[in-house]
Amino acid sequence: MRIFLLAAVSAAAISGAAFAAEKPMYGAWGVDLTARDVAVKPGDDFNKYANGAWEKKTTIPADQASAGVGYDVYNRSQDQLRTLIETADASTPIGALYKSFTDEAKVEQVDDAPLKADLAKLAAVSSKAELAKALGAAHGGFGPDLFSLDIYPDAKNPELNTLYIGQSGLGLPDRDYYLTDGFKPQLAAYTAFAERALKMAGYADPAKSAADVIAFETAIAKVSWAVADRRDIDKVYNPVTMDELKAYAPEVPWADYLAAAGVTGRSQVVLGEKSAVRDIAKLFADTPLETLKAWQTVQGVLEMSPYLSKRFVDSRFDYIKVLSGQTQLRPRWKRGVQLVDGSLGELVGQAYVAKYFPPSSKAQMVDLIANLKTAMAERIQKAPWMAPATKQAALAKLSKMSVMVGYPDKWRDYSGLKLDVTDLYGNVRRSGAFEWAYTLGDLGKPVDHGKWGMTPQTVNAYNGGLENKIVFPAGILQAPYFDPAADPAVNYGAIGAVIGHEISHGFDDQGRKIDDTGKLRDWWTAEDAKRFEAQAAVLGGQYGTYEPVPGMKINPALTMGENIADLAGLQVAYDAYHAALKGKPAPVVGGMTGDQRFFLAFAQSWQDKSRDDSLKQQMASDPHSPSNFRVIGPTRNVDAWYAAFGVKPGDKFYLPPEKRSRIW
């Protein structure tokens, strides 16, 4: 899945035209040639060759963690959403929610009154049994939980939704922030925030209580699973009966806890990070009640601060900016658009696609995806390491992989959500409860494959592994990723590689464990798996040497699936591009061959400049490699790239043919 780190955004001007222009948005044929640094040899750093001049002249806006085409497209989409949201009448859900957020005078007048009501309920908790119910009620309610509750298809019975219980409880992005010296500034900033939050909540000794909270969260971090282990589907699928759960982690009154979350009548659940669930339950029992309540207070204040008065907003930002490197809070309208987008996503999405997503783009994307699926099928058929029976199973999975483009066929109904233009805090709380009830409505029911995990305006795409489907929202179908007026080589190199990436997730180190029905099942021979893992190890060995931030290298165990998909996506897109030429040579355009345009478009689709703190956060918790190595890493393993740019031995990133990864 392609992920853009959008912790902060900034505005960009957009044209008034809603649909496709007659000429490409970038350059004469779809690529910005002025972004290149032609003084850099492609084989020494293809990212700098493609994007170096842009990087030199670009300053990251103060309210963003990074800059680049991902942000550009996101910002463009946010401006488009702004035109829809700001003009919505206050009597509509969109208008009521947005206007409740932008009415700063009202928010300042209310100050922390609604927060005090929630904190008073927490203060009244007098036992661990009551607190367990408060933890369960936090889903769709106020405050944090020590456990995650998610409803997904059952990996062994993928036509039915079940409940997954996993680890949670941390206020920092990942366990490493508590346990490694490299994140000491971030831990210090969080500790300072905890003390401020407790002081605002009226604690008599906020410094001591904050220290207790940090010690408690550090204990959680020590028993939590590393993020690389959490992406292993075999490890995180641990079905247990309710009786087994009660025996395995007896410190939590599970029936009461789940009932408070709205979950009743379950005979079985699935544990994710199994040992962590057990050990966090022990911490719940061993930690003083007052420390647990202080922890809930800190995280409750952290969660609700964006919807309170300026003193809360500023206190939270003083912490958040140390994580991202931002120096300036985003303008209020941007935060308001994000709130509406996150709370009423498909309602906003209906208006968005009607105005900004032409039917012709959807039709063109459907054709592109079909071409990419054909190219992937040919790659599977030619894979020398895959046994014939496994190839047939892989081809069956590919043929059954459903494709969704632009927007869902059926829109969500938000009529049950009541919003008040004068009550921002209440609107956020009601929206959270509404969303949890919507999610909970799927529990124990057949999977609705028409539901989307992203809104249409999302600048992203995903592979729904347990449903064997790939989804491409309208938001990502914009230049430079997809431009109907661009040269075909550009669209294949940019959005084509994204399509190939998502298709290939069905066959990466985790996707290969899921069959054509979405069921967790080992359908490869032992020899297939051994040969696949050998080639994956070659790729992992390369990525383990990359150092995006001084002193911090990429973790190939964490990023393996995405690295494989990046490489496979590029290869499949290249094959599909050449198939589309139907045996004819690609024209030379602007002095560049078709292959050069293809690879250049791919590289510019990852154009990015990030702050070091943001990169550190990504590398600790995100399964995607930093953008510059999403350019360098795949291309140096593709033979055609060497021929296109004359890359030779002696160039920094040259790899001899025998050392290139040959997964697909």
Side-chain angles (χ1 to χ4, degrees):
M1 184 189 300
R2 176 178 285 226
I3 290 183
F4 302 101
L5 299 180
L6 300 174
V9 296
S10 71
I14 59 170
S15 67
F19 288 164
E22 294 180 357
K23 63 180 183 178
M25 180 175 289
Y26 291 85
W29 39 270
V31 161
D32 179 11
L33 294 178
T34 68
R36 297 177 301 164
D37 184 349
V38 294
V40 178
K41 293 171 63 177
D44 284 343
D45 189 327
F46 191 54
N47 180 63
K48 287 193 179 298
Y49 168 79
N51 299 306
W54 169 87
E55 185 176 339
K56 288 177 182 177
K57 68 183 180 184
T58 296
T59 300
I60 301 172
D63 67 345
Q64 294 184 188
S66 68
V69 296
Y71 261 112
D72 290 345
V73 176
Y74 178 82
N75 291 340
R76 192 185 312 147
S77 295
Q78 292 297 290
D79 279 326
Q80 291 166 340
L81 293 179
R82 184 185 188 185
T83 65
L84 301 172
I85 291 170
E86 286 192 337
T87 56
D89 190 87
S91 63
T92 66
I94 291 173
L97 183 56
Y98 185 72
K99 288 174 172 57
S100 72
F101 186 87
T102 53
D103 187 352
E104 291 185 73
K106 180 67 174 179
V107 173
E108 291 300 318
Q109 176 193 343
V110 171
D111 194 33
D112 63 348
L115 175 67
K116 284 180 177 177
D118 280 327
L119 293 179
K121 293 176 184 176
L122 176 58
V125 170
S126 60
S127 68
K128 293 283 183 73
E130 288 181 30
L131 188 66
K133 293 179 181 179
L135 293 176
H139 297 274
F142 171 79
D145 189 6
L146 290 171
F147 308 100
S148 63
L149 297 181
D150 296 291
I151 296 167
Y152 298 127
D154 187 321
K156 288 294 181 74
N157 183 18
E159 288 302 318
L160 196 67
N161 287 304
T162 193
L163 180 69
Y164 289 76
I165 302 177
Q167 69 187 39
S168 190
L170 301 180
L172 283 158
D174 183 72
R175 67 193 297 272
D176 286 354
Y177 279 74
Y178 300 84
L179 307 178
T180 61
D181 290 342
F183 292 109
K184 280 186 176 180
Q186 289 81 2
L187 180 59
Y190 180 52
T191 303
F193 169 80
E195 184 174 343
R196 290 194 301 272
L198 292 167
K199 184 177 181 180
M200 289 173 163
Y203 270 65
D205 191 349
K208 181 184 182 304
S209 295
D212 291 341
V213 168
I214 299 303
F216 174 60
E217 290 195 22
T218 301
I220 294 175
K222 288 178 179 177
V223 301
S224 295
W225 286 18
V227 67
D229 290 326
R230 296 173 66 195
R231 61 174 298 273
D232 188 327
I233 192 169
D234 288 322
K235 292 181 179 179
V236 296
Y237 183 77
N238 303 285
V240 295
T241 66
M242 286 302 299
D243 287 341
E244 289 170 337
L245 175 60
K246 293 172 185 176
Y248 183 68
E251 297 85 358
V252 173
W254 290 105
D256 291 343
Y257 161 80
L258 290 173
V263 178
T264 57
R266 300 299 300 167
S267 60
Q268 178 178 292
V269 298
V270 177
L271 298 184
E273 304 86 355
K274 187 174 182 180
S275 64
V277 171
R278 177 198 63 202
D279 294 341
I280 291 171
K282 290 178 181 177
L283 288 171
F284 173 76
D286 295 341
T287 302
L289 178 63
E290 290 308 312
T291 298
L292 293 172
K293 290 165 67 173
W295 164 78
Q296 277 203 303
T297 298
V298 169
Q299 291 209 18
V301 172
L302 178 64
E303 174 190 353
M304 298 307 296
S305 285
Y307 319 111
L308 294 168
S309 57
K310 187 176 184 297
R311 63 192 181 103
F312 285 91
V313 172
D314 289 347
S315 175
R316 179 181 180 274
F317 182 66
D318 282 345
Y319 157 52
I320 295 298
K321 69 183 182 182
V322 181
L323 296 181
S324 65
Q326 297 164 248
T327 58
Q328 183 177 307
L329 189 65
R330 290 172 298 152
R332 194 165 188 91
W333 77 260
K334 294 182 182 179
R335 290 177 276 142
V337 166
Q338 184 180 34
L339 172 63
V340 176
D341 190 18
S343 303
L344 300 167
E346 287 195 19
L347 193 61
V348 176
Q350 282 183 270
Y352 176 83
V353 298
K355 187 170 184 179
Y356 296 109
F357 186 61
S360 58
S361 288
K362 182 168 184 172
Q364 192 170 339
M365 269 294 292
V366 169
D367 289 342
L368 272 171
I369 294 168
N371 292 345
L372 268 291
K373 287 182 73 174
T374 298
M376 185 68 192
E378 292 178 358
R379 283 267 168 181
I380 291 170
Q381 290 168 335
K382 294 176 182 177
W385 50 267
M386 188 177 271
T390 310
K391 288 183 180 182
Q392 290 306 309
L395 291 169
K397 180 175 183 178
L398 180 63
S399 69
K400 294 179 182 179
M401 185 179 287
S402 59
V403 175
M404 300 179 179
V405 176
Y407 49 88
D409 292 333
K410 182 180 179 181
W411 297 100
R412 277 186 64 177
D413 178 9
Y414 290 87
S415 60
L417 176 58
K418 305 305 179 185
L419 299 170
D420 182 344
V421 72
T422 67
D423 183 15
L424 171 60
Y425 191 98
N427 286 341
V428 173
R429 294 277 269 105
R430 285 186 289 274
S431 294
F434 182 81
E435 191 65 29
W436 177 243
Y438 177 76
T439 300
L440 205 58
D442 287 336
L443 182 57
K445 295 180 181 178
V447 174
D448 182 350
H449 298 289
K451 283 188 175 182
W452 280 34
M454 291 179 178
T455 64
Q457 58 273 24
T458 303
V459 184
N460 209 328
Y462 73 96
N463 180 306
L466 295 177
E467 297 183 68
N468 194 23
K469 69 182 183 183
I470 50 177
V471 180
F472 302 92
I476 198 173
L477 304 181
Q478 304 181 62
Y481 302 116
F482 173 70
D483 188 339
D487 170 50
V490 172
N491 279 329
Y492 275 100
I495 197 65
V498 175
I499 296 167
H501 175 109
E502 299 305 339
I503 291 172
S504 69
H505 266 315
F507 311 94
D508 66 15
D509 65 323
Q510 299 305 310
R512 71 177 186 82
K513 301 173 182 178
I514 301 171
D515 69 14
D516 60 316
T517 69
K519 184 177 182 179
L520 179 61
R521 180 175 68 85
D522 188 357
W523 49 278
W524 291 32
T525 68
E527 292 76 17
D528 290 336
K530 185 176 180 180
R531 289 189 289 264
F532 176 90
E533 288 165 2
Q535 287 300 318
V538 171
L539 193 64
Q542 296 170 19
Y543 277 81
T545 67
Y546 302 151
E547 193 171 349
V549 179
M552 192 171 183
K553 294 181 178 179
I554 291 174
N555 177 1
L558 170 60
T559 60
M560 180 60 74
E562 299 298 335
N563 298 338
I564 291 172
D566 282 345
L567 173 55
L570 181 62
Q571 291 172 314
V572 171
Y574 179 82
D575 292 349
Y577 168 57
H578 276 268
L581 294 173
K582 301 185 184 302
K584 298 178 181 178
V588 175
V589 178
M592 303 190 77
T593 67
D595 282 11
Q596 288 174 329
R597 300 194 304 277
F598 171 87
F599 287 113
L600 190 58
F602 170 75
Q604 290 198 351
S605 75
W606 288 113
Q607 187 181 89
D608 178 83
K609 184 176 183 178
S610 294
R611 303 182 192 278
D612 281 357
D613 286 332
S614 177
L615 283 173
K616 288 178 180 178
Q617 181 176 350
Q618 178 185 355
M619 293 169 68
S621 57
D622 193 319
H624 300 80
S625 295
S627 292
N628 56 331
F629 288 105
R630 297 188 78 171
V631 175
I632 294 168
T635 52
R636 68 190 300 230
N637 286 282
V638 178
D639 296 342
W641 173 74
Y642 287 82
F645 292 96
V647 179
K648 296 179 173 59
D651 292 344
K652 180 178 178 180
F653 285 106
Y654 173 86
L655 278 174
E658 67 274 12
K659 292 188 177 181
R660 298 170 197 167
S661 180
R662 308 287 185 181
I663 295 179
W664 292 112

